[in-house]
Amino acid sequence: MPGAAERGSELSEQIEAFVARLRGGGERPRSEDTARQTMALLQKIIEHGRWGRAGELMDLIRTEGQRMTAAQPSETTVGNMVRRVLKIIREEYGRLHGRSEESDQQESLHKLLTSGGLSEDFSTPYPLLRANVIEAINELLIELEGTTDNIAMQALEHIHSNEVIMTIGYSRTVEAFLKEAARKRKFQVIVAECAPFCQGHEMAVRLSKENIETTVMSDAAIFAVMSRVNKVIIGTKTILANGALIAVSGTHTLALAAKHHSTPLIVCAPMFKLSPQDNKMVPVFLTLLYSRLIQFPNEEDSFHKFVSPQEVLPFTEGEILAKINVHCPVFDYVPPELITLFISNIGGNAPSYIYRLMSELYHPDDYEL
Amino acid sequence: MRPVGEAALLPMANVAMIDYTLEFLTATGVEETFVFCCWKSAEIKEHLQKSKWCRHTSPNTVRFVTSDLYRSLGDVLRDVDAKSLVRSDFILVTGDVVSNFNISRALEEHKLRRKMEKNVSVMTMIFKESSPGHHARCHEDDIIVAMDSATNRVLHYQRTQGLKRFRFPMSLFQSLIENVEVRHDLLDCHISICSPQVAELFTDNFDYQTRDDFVRGLLVNEEILGNQIHMHVTTEQYGAHICNLLMYKAVCSDIIRRWVYPLTPEMNFTDDKNQSYTHSKHNIYRGVDVSLGHGSVLEENILIGQGTVIGSNCFVTNSVIGQNCRIGDRVILDGAFLWDRVHIADNVEICHSVICDEAEVKEKVKLKPRCVLSSQVVVGPDITLSEGTVISLHPPDEEEEDEDQFSDDSGVNKMESKVKLKGYNKKDVGSEGRGYLWKADDKNEEDEEEQRQSLWGPALHSEEESESDSDLSLGSEEPDSRTASPQLDDIKVFQNEVLGTLQRGEEENISCDNLVLEINSLKYAYNIGLKEMMQVLSKVILEFPLQQLDANLDSQNYFSALLPLLKNWTPLFKNYIKRASDHLNALFAIEEFFLEHDSLCTSIAKVLMTFYQLEILEEDVILNWFSLRDTSDKGKQLRKNQRLQKFIQWLEEAEEESSDGDQD
């Protein structure tokens, strides 16, 4: 089949290009775009890949998924999408296999205990499976389209008139959320600039264009201003299974200040940012400063992303560079006890409920790709 | 886009340098790469064929062009032109460039310039801003550039070569350009965007060897050929060219400190399974299956390759350790660069040194800074290698192969038999050691310095890149060790040739135009710069009467013999003395001559007068020369010469008069 081979090489070129883009990571892609691109690629793999049985397909998806996630571990969305697709394949296979919806649910404790040994082998070939899976993925893509709007729609329930809202950096979700609220209510927004990349500036510009009263301030002023703030609303890169966040660096400071002043901290994030990966990231800077003695730690900072220190201290600085170490972390770990509420496209949830949502989204066997 | 690359296989943070170069090119959107190599081309080809660049999914098609005839960049580009490999703009890089630069903006500027003024700008050079004293600047590559700030045009380009003062042609500042910037805060990335004309120009000018020749030639002939060179300065992105071990060290540590992000080790951009690393705090990168003994400390900025075993109670900091190394107990590694399969026994101390593949260091050995152990060398036990020691398996007398010492396995095997014939010097390498001290015989201190420098310098040029004019490179720590220029002999020969030519011209009454032509061709044949040219010419002419009159003549005779000669050869001088710096150079040469010949001292004023009257030298420059303060004692004495002072006084008065006249 020369046509198939050609398509195959075209596909692997596309995957290669996607991996290269992830690796390059210069221009901070939007998570939603990454999610959609991953989905589209996976869809193509399912469409054109060589597989006959569900098991083969899952292996195929898993290997490609591993490649894609390894390219940029901090981009958890990719892995999440791969898990969603795996879950879809499982469901569709189960439906074709003649299992009823209920039997798949592992609701009761009894079933949880007994069903452990019954692993399926996914070896029966179903010609319909391909079409069904692609159909399901299309539905998922449609769902992705609407996530930001779904979150923004809840804005009026959380933002009231004359409130002072604080946010940090730039998040499209938060931007949409605030803009939606501004259509009906009048409130003030304070944006922490989020040095050294200062995405906060962009946020402020976009908000002020919508006639929202906006103030930009330096990150150092977060604590001082917090007493005036009614609510803190932030976005995040990833939500971990325990309800913790991997968010842009500076968020931890903000969350601690909010906790100190008992200001509610609301996180706006779509469901696809929910990642079942274990919390392997440790609060970085404390350990960076104090533990000079390290054995190979068990935890790997695989979520963590240190970029070129250029923004912190320019490379042109000269002699001093040989004598010092400069670090430029991109993300902070924010522990779940500092967070009041998550607002996702399916509604508001407390951090302690996240693990439950997780088990609905992904199959436990897929937590580790 | 079709860049030309030259390759290097030395591991840089455990990845071959050429991989960095290719990754840079691919990331910046290059679709086709030609790799030109002559030295070790088979290895390079094999390496690349195994790498991801030759997989069919690679967005960048890599092609090889190998030939033993490539001796320099010039040869390569002439070949490019002959085979007409390039028809559009291309990027020219060497195989040892590490960069995360995104070329697109520079390329756009380049294209725009070429569109605005058709085919005028032939090349855009990429520079990285980095202030003097920066650890990634090496003296070998240190440059001063004069640019037109409005158009980014390069007006003057010169290597500093450790000099403290610089001369710029006056024309630079007298031209119509409004703002001229002279910059010393730039690092040459050795990345240039070239138009196809570049290859043609190399063909037209067969004496161009390096890119420097090209740039110099183009700038000098700018008015004639009408070609211009532009530059692009980047502040944010990284780009460096590894030309010696000091640069190797600097760039390695920059990679580990993540300045070259996203080309960091844990990104595994080569897609090699053996190269997967995890990054943890303090910039510690660890490969698969690394084991660390009890009580060992990894402080910061460390890369450990796959399968390496480190014993207990070691201390490691700022180091790169290759794959499958064995490191004993209580070892201290500070700034050590260990390549693959290195064995290090207990109680070893290594400081700022490079240890190549499969070398072995026995117990209680101490390596002081800047040592190099080449492949398969064994040192120890119980020995301290002094600073800058270089040990290789090659007997020191085989210099022609000394480049092979790096990572050349086949060469080493071949050498094995020869090595057996000669014993190893136990004093140098220890009682169980194997290897020879590299080229360090009974030479004086300065020579050793030079050798070491040349290793920390261009011995790492694994490639043909024959930068013959910078063979004696220097490390950033010894700025004045560059004493004699390698061209000295050439200048001597050149001087004799010029003398011969002039003699013939005098005897056969050849016209000055033809003399100029002959001297010009000599100048190119011996690759003599304008400055040396000036000095030689002045000297030869002043010495001319001495030879005719069998020396030992008084100043009166001398001058009367010289005068007709000077008159005859006025056009000759005028042909070469054009810029202010030429005037000064000529004056220096004259001064030098009279210092050497004390007896003739008195006639200096007359000679200068003649030069002035013949309008070869201008009064400003003579006054300027006279008032120079930092001359030697002899020079000061010379300036006290009565006649000379009178002459100067006369000149000053003449000038005042003329300026008065202007005012009236």
Side-chain angles (χ1 to χ4, degrees), chain A residues 114-140:
Chain A
T114 51
S115 67
L118 285 169
S119 66
E120 297 178 70
D121 59 354
F122 297 102
S123 60
T124 327
Y126 289 105
L128 265 178
L129 185 63
R130 198 183 294 249
N132 285 1
V133 169
I134 287 170
E135 184 60 29
I137 288 177
N138 279 334
E139 274 169 32
L140 188 58

Side-chain angles (χ1 to χ4, degrees), chain B residues 4-20:
Chain B
V4 181
E6 292 167 358
L9 290 178
L10 302 182
M12 184 92 187
N14 293 351
V15 174
M17 277 187 211
I18 185 145
D19 288 329
Y20 284 98

Side-chain angles (χ1 to χ4, degrees), chain A residues 292 306 315-316 324-325, chain B residues 129 134 257-258 299-301:
Chain A
R292 289 178 57 85
F306 284 89
F315 189 71
T316 45
I324 52 164
N325 282 314
Chain B
E129 204 172 275
H134 198 284
R257 289 166 189 218
R258 307 183 73 78
E299 201 188 43
E300 56 188 7
N301 302 328

Side-chain angles (χ1 to χ4, degrees), chain A residues 201-222:
Chain A
H201 296 178
E202 196 190 340
M203 182 74 155
V205 168
R206 281 163 183 260
L207 290 181
S208 56
K209 273 188 190 146
E210 296 287 313
N211 291 325
I212 301 173
E213 195 186 336
T214 313
T215 316
V216 185
M217 56 164 205
S218 76
D219 299 337
I222 287 175

Side-chain angles (χ1 to χ4, degrees), chain B residues 213-430:
Chain B
D213 289 345
F214 175 77
V215 172
R216 212 177 301 136
L218 224 59
L219 290 177
V220 168
N221 297 327
E222 194 176 295
E223 280 151 37
I224 306 161
L225 296 171
N227 291 321
Q228 295 177 346
I229 296 176
H230 287 80
M231 59 196 272
H232 178 88
V233 179
T234 166
T235 48
E236 309 217 325
Q237 288 137 325
Y238 188 91
H241 157 78
I242 294 101
C243 49
N244 56 28
L245 283 183
L246 278 169
M247 278 302 278
Y248 175 81
K249 214 182 103 187
V251 175
C252 256
S253 71
D254 283 344
I255 290 173
I256 293 199
R257 289 166 189 218
R258 307 183 73 78
W259 286 103
V260 202
Y261 183 86
L263 295 188
T264 47
E266 93 281 4
M267 286 293 175
N268 189 15
F269 61 85
T270 52
D271 243 354
D272 184 346
K273 283 209 179 55
N274 300 331
Q275 294 284 2
S276 76
Y277 295 93
T278 53
H279 171 228
S280 36
K281 50 203 175 258
H282 306 284
N283 287 341
I284 291 171
Y285 305 84
R286 179 165 48 97
V288 192
D289 294 331
V290 169
S291 90
L292 183 70
H294 186 74
S296 286
V297 177
L298 301 179
E299 201 188 43
E300 56 188 7
N301 302 328
I302 300 163
L303 176 73
I304 305 176
Q306 183 201 26
T308 288
V309 177
I310 298 177
S312 57
N313 296 316
C314 295
F315 176 82
V316 186
T317 182
N318 294 320
S319 296
V320 174
I321 302 174
Q323 297 178 3
N324 300 313
C325 293
R326 297 274 170 279
I327 293 169
D329 301 340
R330 295 172 296 283
V331 174
I332 295 176
L333 300 177
D334 179 9
F337 294 89
L338 273 51
W339 296 3
D340 296 348
R341 299 177 296 281
V342 171
H343 282 243
I344 294 192
D346 300 348
N347 297 315
V348 172
E349 233 175 84
I350 297 176
C351 192
H352 297 287
S353 295
V354 177
I355 298 177
C356 304
D357 291 337
E358 292 169 38
E360 194 175 342
V361 181
K362 303 246 182 206
E363 287 90 13
K364 291 186 187 160
V365 174
K366 263 190 195 173
L367 263 64
K368 290 274 168 68
R370 283 186 293 150
C371 288
V372 178
L373 303 184
S374 89
S375 337
Q376 297 178 332
V377 160
V378 182
V379 288
D382 219 352
I383 182 177
T384 302
L385 296 185
S386 60
E387 196 169 310
T389 312
V390 178
I391 294 178
S392 83
L393 273 189
H394 297 263
D397 45 345
E398 288 172 82
E399 285 177 26
E400 76 276 9
E401 281 187 283
D402 58 19
E403 274 182 300
D404 279 4
Q405 61 180 318
F406 289 104
S407 66
D408 185 352
D409 293 333
S410 62
V412 170
N413 292 339
K414 196 175 67 203
M415 300 304 293
E416 208 91 331
S417 52
K418 288 185 199 162
V419 157
K420 295 234 165 71
L421 299 176
K422 302 165 150 201
Y424 300 108
N425 191 346
K426 303 287 178 216
K427 253 197 274 173
D428 293 340
V429 294

Side-chain angles (χ1 to χ4, degrees), chain B residues 531-548:
Chain B
K531 187 179 159 202
E532 283 89 6
M533 171 72 216
M534 261 339 296
Q535 284 169 346
V536 167
L537 190 67
S538 315
K539 213 164 153 189
V540 165
I541 291 183
L542 290 174
E543 274 174 6
F544 205 77
L546 296 185
Q547 299 205 333
Q548 281 189 327

